[in-house]
Amino acid sequence: KAGVTQTPRYLIKTRGQQVTLSCSPISGHRSVSWYQQTPGQGLQFLFEYFSETQRNKGNFPGRFSGRQFSNSRSEMNVSTLELGDSALYLCASSLGDSSGNTIYFGEGSWLTVV
Amino acid sequence: QQQVKQSPQSLIVQKGGISIINCAYENTAFDYFPWYQQFPGKGPALLIAIRPDVSEKKEGRFTISFNKSAKQFSLHIMDSQPGDSATYFCAPESGGSYIPTFGRGTSLIVHP
């Protein structure tokens, strides 16, 4: 079956702009989570959506937001981009109904802010 | 407060050697202990995981050892191969959150 698909794979934005990233989870998965990965900070959890509701949230400023649609597809948005937002943004999906559900990651969206 | 401490940060071993990566945690509510493997340009992928009711789990060349009293678990890669060169993350999870807490990662390089 198809894996987690993220688009776009690469993008370059200017400071102050906003960006929207998209994630299509594995069919049947209702949980979608987002992570930011940088060399200095490692993998940091942004937020998780389950059945269109934000269920968990990490410690990121309000410029980072997300949503999930009825088909479980998810988007995340970053407004007023800063240079420090340059990172690999990873989306992951799982069944989300119990501890230990295998989490499947997409290949990520590489964001460069200039 | 860093809930998960992973060590070493980087590791270089020769082909055929044993690679050992450790993870120490503080949250006693963790009840699922996975290791993820990430190759350059790819997202992390589940490698092997253990529940706290067992002390060891082996899958091929990969073994997890779990020490509940010490709040530590480790990944052992036997007969390390150049294809194992990747970044490894421990990411324990508690039943109430559904979200793993990732360690900072260990960059493993296996020389041929």
Side-chain angles (χ1 to χ4, degrees):
Chain A
K1 63 184 176 184
V4 178
T5 304
Q6 292 188 243
T7 57
R9 289 294 318 279
Y10 305 92
L11 66 167
I12 301 174
K13 291 287 187 178
T14 304
R15 269 186 306 175
Q17 287 187 313
Q18 71 166 11
V19 65
T20 298
L21 308 178
S22 180
C23 175
S24 293
I26 291 172
S27 177
H29 285 187
R30 291 192 293 165
S31 169
V32 174
S33 51
W34 289 89
Y35 294 82
Q36 181 193 67
Q37 186 172 27
T38 59
Q41 297 297 320
L43 267 165
Q44 292 189 283
F45 170 70
L46 281 155
F47 30 67
E48 183 234 2
Y49 287 85
F50 182 79
S51 293
E52 301 180 67
T53 300
Q54 188 179 85
R55 185 166 64 175
N56 289 285
K57 187 178 186 303
N59 296 320
F60 276 80
R63 300 185 297 107
F64 293 81
S65 63
R67 59 178 175 169
Q68 187 180 33
F69 303 96
S70 59
N71 61 359
S72 291
R73 192 177 69 84
S74 177
E75 290 180 347
M76 68 163 283
N77 183 278
V78 188
S79 62
T80 318
L81 284 165
E82 301 176 359
L83 295 178
D85 297 332
S86 295
L88 175 65
Y89 290 88
L90 290 161
C91 168
S93 78
S94 74
L95 292 172
D97 55 5
S98 68
S99 170
N101 285 154
T102 300
I103 295 172
Y104 297 87
F105 283 85
E107 294 192 334
S109 293
W110 287 94
L111 171 64
T112 300
V113 182
V114 298
Chain B
Q1 182 183 9
Q2 188 177 355
Q3 290 197 56
V4 176
K5 292 184 179 180
Q6 187 175 336
S7 61
Q9 188 173 351
S10 61
L11 182 60
I12 299 174
V13 301
Q14 294 296 317
K15 179 182 175 181
I18 301 174
S19 305
I20 301 175
I21 305 171
N22 301 298
C23 189
Y25 62 93
E26 298 171 5
N27 187 351
T28 55
F30 288 145
D31 61 1
Y32 178 64
F33 300 89
W35 285 93
Y36 287 81
Q37 179 188 55
Q38 183 178 27
F39 292 106
K42 302 290 185 181
L46 178 67
L47 180 63
I48 187 172
I50 198 169
R51 292 281 187 183
D53 53 342
V54 296
S55 60
E56 186 174 284
K57 181 177 181 180
K58 184 176 181 180
E59 290 184 357
R61 297 185 293 108
F62 301 92
T63 300
I64 291 183
S65 296
F66 179 70
N67 186 329
K68 187 174 182 178
S69 61
K71 293 189 285 186
Q72 292 181 352
F73 64 111
S74 60
L75 174 68
H76 296 236
I77 305 175
M78 310 300 288
D79 188 26
S80 298
Q81 299 296 311
D84 298 330
S85 297
T87 301
Y88 293 81
F89 296 92
C90 62
E93 185 180 325
S94 63
S97 75
Y98 306 101
I99 300 300
T101 301
F102 280 88
R104 295 294 291 267
T106 296
S107 175
L108 171 65
I109 297 174
V110 181
H111 283 311

